[in-house]
Amino acid sequence: MVSVLERKLTIKRVATVVSNYQENASTDDLASMAQGCGRNCLGSCCLPVSKLPLYAFSTDEEEQGHDEVDASCDGKSPEKSYLNNLLLGQWENRMTRGLFRYDVTSCETKVIPGTYGFVAQLNEGRHLKKRPTEFRVDKVLQPFDKNKFNFTKVGQEEVLFRFEPSEDGKTSYFPCSQIDPSASVVAINVSPIEYGHVLLIPRVLDCLPQKIVHDGLMLALHFAKEASNPFFRVGYNSLGAFATINHLHFQAYFLSAPFPIEKAPTCKIMSSKDTRVMVSKLLNYPVKGLVFEGGNKLRDLCDAVASSCILLESNNVAFNLLISDCGKRVFLLPQCYAEKQARGEVEQELLDTQVNPAVWEISGHMVLKRRKDYDEASEQYAWKLLSDVSLSDERFQEVEQYVREAANLQEDRDFISTEETSYGSGTTQVSPHLPQDCLVLR
């Protein structure tokens, strides 16, 4: 069993501002807002009487392409990947309205020379004007606290649309729809890492803490599936793995380059004959991780991942998730960097970079905050940072056992895959859905 730290480990850190309502909000302010703020927010005081756009997706497991979407606004049938175009259009609208803290399209980005093709971005604006917070890293499960910042405080102008299962089995878009009590929303991240950076907030009014629940993960998988874009990924950070807000949410954005982790070779280690879910182990990558894929239905994949995460949480194991390949693959990445950081076991050279290795960094997208680090970025640096994230062999074996138990899988080590994904091993590809100036490659 993974040992639970007996003493409280805390680390004084700076939280990334994801909403314009997060900064400068005192505890008293947030407490008063919880009782009714009188403004257009996502809280129970305002949301139930509001109307927001709704993207209702089909939950029909047999529906593969989603080629047609019933656009009830004008009766026309939009083109394929409607969610992809809707998200980008609404995101760009918020950018035009000046809701972001900086222009992410001006951030320099490059592929670091080397075998893995780590992507480095210089994002000097992301660490400015942040409020210090006391972040506890020794507990993955912590109760929701309405007096701390949460997404019910977000203004509705930051919301792009609701994202929920349809009631009639059809994928539809409604430009103005009455709010359901269990509404899930897609909102902008005002401190974006990349183009189209958004937050998916399941059942926002239920005020769920940052922990995996089956229907929340299923929503995230559908989000990736509906976008129908291999360069759109969905990520999750648990508490203790650099989640900064204890209110259930996923992040997602477009990056028109393959993540190094997506190209890493894998070895199949367990599977289920009944559900056909397969779990592989990452090989030759600085962070130990597991890759879930397959399943007779999307629900099978969801249940295997969610059950595994829930058991990890109950054993106080921090982790990150990356949903890739339009929801067909999920990377489970247990980590211990924050724990090492709190114990003073991380080299000062790495601490000075102010890089918090969350899901995007672990996957190979290094968001750097200093010009010096960007100019000197190398594969060796990326490997060194990520190696500090990874669990020991002993602790990772315990994680494997948790997953096998939680997902009811059997050992299956006959198949080894060393091939890269369909992205290929050549030059970086650019998604046709994205503006060409979205990624600057040198």
Side-chain angles (χ1 to χ4, degrees):
M1 301 289 286
V2 176
S3 61
V4 179
L5 302 179
E6 294 182 357
R7 66 181 185 279
K8 176 181 177 181
L9 292 180
T10 58
I11 177 171
K12 199 73 173 180
R13 61 187 304 275
V14 175
T16 300
V17 178
V18 298
S19 168
N20 289 316
Y21 294 86
Q22 180 179 357
E23 190 179 16
N24 299 326
S26 68
T27 300
D28 291 340
D29 291 338
L30 295 178
S32 64
M33 288 178 186
Q35 301 171 2
C37 64
R39 63 180 179 85
N40 206 27
C41 71
L42 290 181
S44 57
C45 49
C46 302
L47 190 60
V49 295
S50 303
K51 291 185 177 182
L52 289 172
L54 168 64
Y55 185 99
F57 60 88
S58 171
T59 56
D60 184 354
E61 294 284 1
E62 300 302 320
E63 186 181 48
Q64 298 296 329
H66 305 300
D67 291 333
E68 293 185 358
V69 178
D70 177 15
S72 302
C73 53
D74 57 7
K76 296 180 181 179
S77 179
E79 63 183 293
K80 188 177 180 179
S81 302
Y82 185 64
L83 178 67
N84 183 87
N85 297 326
L86 173 67
L87 189 152
L88 284 174
Q90 292 296 311
W91 192 88
E92 290 168 354
N93 171 271
R94 302 313 191 274
M95 182 169 60
T96 302
R97 290 163 58 180
L99 296 184
F100 295 101
R101 299 170 64 83
Y102 50 82
D103 181 7
V104 72
T105 63
S106 66
C107 296
E108 297 178 52
T109 304
K110 63 183 179 182
V111 175
I112 301 174
T115 304
Y116 291 85
F118 290 101
V119 179
Q121 180 195 93
L122 177 62
N123 197 328
E124 296 173 295
R126 191 168 169 80
H127 73 292
L128 300 176
K129 298 180 180 180
K130 297 177 183 177
R131 60 187 181 91
T133 60
E134 188 73 8
F135 187 75
R136 187 169 178 174
V137 300
D138 65 328
K139 289 187 66 177
V140 174
L141 295 177
Q142 299 179 37
F144 180 86
D145 186 347
K146 68 179 182 180
N147 294 322
K148 294 183 179 179
F149 176 80
N150 62 78
F151 295 112
T152 65
K153 317 304 177 186
V154 172
Q156 292 183 25
E157 70 276 8
E158 295 182 10
V159 176
L160 304 185
F161 49 84
R162 292 160 54 203
F163 184 76
E164 299 163 18
S166 66
E167 296 180 353
D168 59 5
K170 296 181 180 180
T171 300
S172 307
Y173 177 69
F174 306 90
C176 188
S177 176
Q178 190 68 43
I179 300 297
D180 185 271
S182 59
S184 299
V185 301
V186 175
I188 60 172
N189 186 328
V190 301
S191 300
I193 290 177
E194 257 299 345
Y195 212 78
H197 193 169
V198 295
L199 306 169
L200 174 65
I201 310 167
R203 293 157 44 196
V204 60
L205 287 177
D206 288 353
C207 296
L208 302 171
Q210 185 72 345
K211 66 176 184 178
I212 290 295
V213 293
H214 284 260
D215 61 342
L217 180 61
M218 191 67 172
L219 192 75
L221 289 170
H222 274 291
F223 195 41
K225 180 180 179 181
E226 290 290 318
S228 297
N229 188 330
F231 295 105
F232 182 73
R233 289 85 163 190
V234 180
Y236 175 87
N237 303 316
S238 79
L239 298 181
F242 297 101
T244 57
I245 298 172
N246 189 20
H247 190 173
L248 180 59
H249 66 287
F250 297 81
Q251 300 189 45
Y253 63 72
F254 297 87
L255 179 70
S256 55
F259 277 111
I261 200 171
E262 294 173 319
K263 301 189 296 178
T266 60
C267 173
K268 180 180 176 183
I269 61 172
M270 61 186 92
S271 64
S272 169
K273 293 181 179 180
D274 294 333
T275 64
R276 300 176 64 186
V277 170
M278 179 180 73
V279 177
S280 302
K281 180 165 61 175
L282 288 173
L283 303 175
N284 302 324
Y285 196 74
V287 180
K288 299 179 183 68
L290 299 175
V291 187
F292 292 71
E293 55 192 317
N296 296 316
K297 296 182 178 181
L298 190 62
R299 172 60 68 178
D300 295 328
L301 179 62
C302 173
D303 287 345
V305 176
S307 296
S308 299
C309 292
I310 290 170
L311 188 54
L312 291 184
E313 290 168 340
S314 67
N315 284 279
N316 209 37
V317 179
F319 61 89
N320 309 91
L321 292 177
L322 178 73
I323 301 174
S324 178
D325 291 349
C326 302
K328 296 177 183 178
R329 289 204 298 167
V330 181
F331 294 79
L332 172 59
L333 306 161
Q335 69 145 296
C336 59
Y337 189 87
E339 178 184 317
K340 288 182 178 179
Q341 191 176 0
R343 288 176 163 177
E345 297 174 358
V346 178
E347 293 182 18
Q348 189 61 44
E349 177 185 0
L350 295 178
L351 294 176
D352 289 342
T353 66
Q354 302 181 56
V355 174
N356 296 322
V359 60
W360 309 120
E361 288 79 10
I362 292 175
S363 301
H365 189 193
M366 316 302 294
V367 182
L368 305 175
K369 302 165 185 176
R370 302 188 305 182
R371 164 64 67 176
K372 173 180 179 293
D373 298 325
Y374 179 79
D375 291 340
E376 298 175 358
S378 65
E379 186 170 275
Q380 182 181 9
Y381 159 77
W383 189 278
K384 182 178 182 180
L385 172 66
L386 296 184
S387 294
D388 261 3
V389 172
S390 192
L391 297 185
S392 65
D393 290 340
E394 181 181 358
R395 291 183 69 179
F396 189 72
Q397 288 175 3
E398 291 174 340
V399 167
E400 289 184 20
Q401 181 58 42
Y402 290 147
V403 169
R404 187 177 298 111
E405 174 187 339
N408 193 25
L409 301 174
Q410 294 77 45
E411 284 198 33
D412 184 356
R413 299 177 182 268
D414 297 331
F415 177 75
I416 297 179
S417 170
T418 57
E419 296 181 359
E420 294 181 346
T421 67
S422 58
Y423 294 111
S425 57
T427 57
T428 300
Q429 303 177 37
V430 178
S431 169
H433 299 280
L434 302 181
Q436 294 300 307
D437 61 352
C438 171
L439 182 64
V440 179
L441 300 179
R442 293 183 176 180

